[in-house]
Amino acid sequence: MPKIAGAVGAFKVLVDGAEIETVSGVTTPDVEIPATEVSGAGIMGTVSIPNFGQVGAMVFAITAPGAGAQRGILMSGGEHSIEVRVAKNVRAVDGSLVPEGTKYFASGYFSKVSGGDIAVGGRPEDKYEYSVYRFREVVDGRETVLIDQLRHIYQTGGVNHMEPFDRLL
């Protein structure tokens, strides 16, 4: 049944199980399948062929102005586990408003912080970036996306698109 998604009502971010209290935004990773351009006899021009089996580098970002003491959690070395919990209203076909929850999970390593500008009356918008190798999205309890570069998984809607490749190996 189609639904119309509303705006995010609230969200919570946890890094290694600790709630990060000053988060103003999160950027989930871009997912890019690299492609190879092929040209030659029998092809009119150039054709781009996606290389399923490869996923470009994924970056997960957390914007946390005034993180203060929590910078130690956000910037520490070693592997990090990130969880984002999102709540919003969606309008169902019958017109009713229904709350919907989405969770994002990522595993990876801290790679960069972009400090904000410091000015009188302003507040720095520090952006913490993580190089992630695993990304998962769950909407209303149903897994919609799972990408795990180390385990060779590219799954959407419950279908592992890498399975045909794995069978050939």
Side-chain angles (χ1 to χ4, degrees), residues 4-24:
I4 300 170
V8 171
F11 68 95
K12 181 184 286 191
V13 176
L14 295 95
V15 175
D16 301 329
E19 183 177 353
I20 307 301
E21 298 165 354
T22 62
V23 176
S24 63

Side-chain angles (χ1 to χ4, degrees), residues 34-46:
T36 301
E37 289 192 359
V38 178
S39 61
I43 299 175
M44 187 172 93
T46 304

Side-chain angles (χ1 to χ4, degrees), residues 21-161:
E21 298 165 354
T22 62
V23 176
S24 63
V26 169
T27 304
T28 58
D30 289 338
V31 177
E32 180 181 357
I33 305 298
T36 301
E37 289 192 359
V38 178
S39 61
I43 299 175
M44 187 172 93
T46 304
V47 176
S48 181
I49 300 175
N51 295 328
F52 264 100
Q54 300 295 312
V55 175
M58 297 186 293
V59 175
F60 196 101
I62 299 170
T63 303
Q70 291 190 313
R71 285 176 74 94
I73 297 168
L74 293 165
M75 295 176 65
S76 65
E79 186 173 358
H80 289 282
S81 173
I82 301 166
E83 179 180 349
V84 179
R85 301 172 187 167
V86 179
K88 64 183 173 187
N89 281 323
V90 296
R91 186 163 305 277
V93 173
D94 66 4
S96 62
L97 283 177
V98 181
E100 180 178 86
T102 301
K103 292 184 179 181
Y104 300 96
F105 302 90
S107 300
Y109 297 85
F110 170 76
S111 60
K112 175 182 175 182
V113 63
S114 299
D117 296 328
I118 298 173
V120 174
R123 96 182 179 175
E125 289 280 325
D126 296 339
K127 185 176 184 179
Y128 302 85
E129 294 183 7
Y130 299 83
S131 174
V132 298
Y133 62 86
R134 181 180 169 92
F135 175 69
R136 182 175 176 232
E137 176 188 69
V138 177
V139 178
D140 258 359
R142 294 180 53 223
E143 184 176 83
T144 54
V145 175
L146 172 60
I147 299 169
D148 192 322
Q149 292 175 302
L150 301 181
R151 291 182 178 82
H152 208 242
I153 298 171
Y154 184 89
Q155 187 168 300
T156 59
V159 177
N160 184 1
H161 301 284

